[in-house]
Amino acid sequence: MISLRHLSTTFAARGKDPITAVDDVSLEIARGSIQGIIGFSGAGKSTLLRNINLLERPTTGEVIIDGVDLMKLSTEDLRQSRHQIGMIFQGFNLVNNLTVAQNVELSLKFAGVSSANERRARVAEALEIVDISDKATVYPAKLSGGQQQRVAIARALATRPRVLLCDEPTSALDPFTTATVLQYLADINRELGITVVVVTHEMEVIKALTDHVAVMESGRIVERFAADRLHDKTFAPTTPIGRYLTSDGIHVDRGQHAAAVDAEAAELAVGGRV
Ligand SMILES: Nc1ncnc2c1ncn2[C@@H]1O[C@H](COP(=O)(O)OP(=O)(O)OP(=O)(O)O)[C@@H](O)[C@H]1O
Ligand SMILES: [Mg+2]
């Protein structure tokens, strides 16, 4: 469904060296699968995700969605193609002075659905999918974080996309609410056949939701594995970063000074020893 070929994204910074946020990444994502992308802060996860709908246009490479290279499309064709790709974010990004229904309707207006009746029907359908129809006339500020994210999912689904991109979808939520939101994403994948790409730094999210995992470090995919291997106690990723991310929880040594731990983390981040 998604084929990324030799993608690189470089940000030019005035007076500084350019930053290569995505560095020659190639990745195939099968139709109907859930691909996880994990890595430390600054690894390039969000940039890679935004490359998939050209929200951030890669500097070089090919982004092929269902056989079409988005990089080669005209502005108008790209606008049309983008409606096949929904996106949700850590911060939900709802418009505060619009109701829940109006927020969802807005994406349909942007998608050029001109019939008000059609929009109303699609808003109702999308709110139904995430069981939030009862909040249609409420403003986002009156909702919990989990409810806001469900509205954001409804907004992303209203245009009936074939791909859903999720950037840290549960990082602002407590563990219970996280489980609920992940369940909705799993249902949407299974029942609607939508291909899902989820960027996270939480291994729990990867374990609970995904089929395939790609580990990113310094703009590159350094390792990939099938997510079900995470349930195998003998499984050990081959890269230091993969092993660190799959290790259990955060370790704090109460006899050690933070600066020492910091130095160790810095060494790890530049691909040093573990
Ligand atoms: N618009 C931009 N302009 C310049 N540099 C950018 C821009 N966006 C990202 N970067 C840089 O690119 C690198 C990768 O950033 P990115 O946001 O993709 O990382 P990330 O893995 O999503 O991190 P996090 O887990 O903190 O969200 C970082 O060094 C970041 O500072
Ligand atoms: Mg990010």
Side-chain angles (χ1 to χ4, degrees), residues 53 82-88 156 159 161-166:
N53 59 1
R82 276 219 182 101
H83 303 134
Q84 301 176 21
I85 311 174
M87 190 163 187
I88 61 169
T159 57
R162 286 187 283 174
V163 172
L164 181 63
L165 307 177
C166 312

Side-chain angles (χ1 to χ4, degrees), residues 45-47 167-168 199:
K45 307 181 296 296
S46 295
T47 307
D167 193 351
E168 304 276 7
V199 155

Side-chain angles (χ1 to χ4, degrees), residues 4-159:
L4 309 177
R5 298 189 189 152
H6 299 292
L7 284 193
S8 292
T9 304
T10 302
F11 295 110
R14 213 176 301 150
K16 285 190 223 145
D17 288 338
I19 295 166
T20 301
V22 173
D23 188 1
D24 194 22
V25 165
S26 295
L27 185 65
E28 300 285 326
I29 302 173
R31 189 183 307 275
S33 66
I34 306 185
Q35 173 74 49
I37 299 172
I38 195 160
F40 286 150
S41 183
K45 307 181 296 296
S46 295
T47 307
L48 180 62
L49 195 72
R50 294 158 62 94
N51 281 166
I52 298 175
N53 59 1
L54 303 201
L55 201 58
E56 188 67 63
R57 204 180 176 89
T59 316
T60 55
E62 293 172 17
V63 179
I64 297 162
I65 309 286
D66 213 9
V68 176
D69 185 352
L70 300 190
M71 295 280 277
K72 294 208 173 85
L73 295 182
S74 66
T75 314
E76 178 51 31
D77 287 346
L78 177 60
R79 212 179 63 84
Q80 288 302 326
S81 280
R82 276 219 182 101
H83 303 134
Q84 301 176 21
I85 311 174
M87 190 163 187
I88 61 169
F89 307 88
Q90 174 175 358
F92 324 129
N93 296 14
L94 300 175
V95 182
N96 283 323
N97 60 354
L98 296 180
T99 65
V100 162
Q102 288 166 340
N103 264 281
V104 177
E105 188 182 10
L106 194 59
S107 74
L108 292 167
K109 286 184 176 167
F110 283 138
V113 179
S114 55
S115 151
N117 279 338
E118 170 77 7
R119 288 200 304 267
R120 241 191 314 276
R122 293 240 215 145
V123 168
E125 172 191 279
L127 293 179
E128 187 70 29
I129 293 170
V130 285
D131 297 319
I132 200 140
S133 310
D134 57 326
K135 302 287 185 202
T137 58
V138 170
Y139 288 90
K142 295 268 158 64
L143 301 177
S144 71
Q147 290 169 334
Q148 289 190 49
Q149 192 59 297
R150 279 153 58 196
V151 175
I153 294 170
R155 180 181 55 185
L157 293 180
T159 57

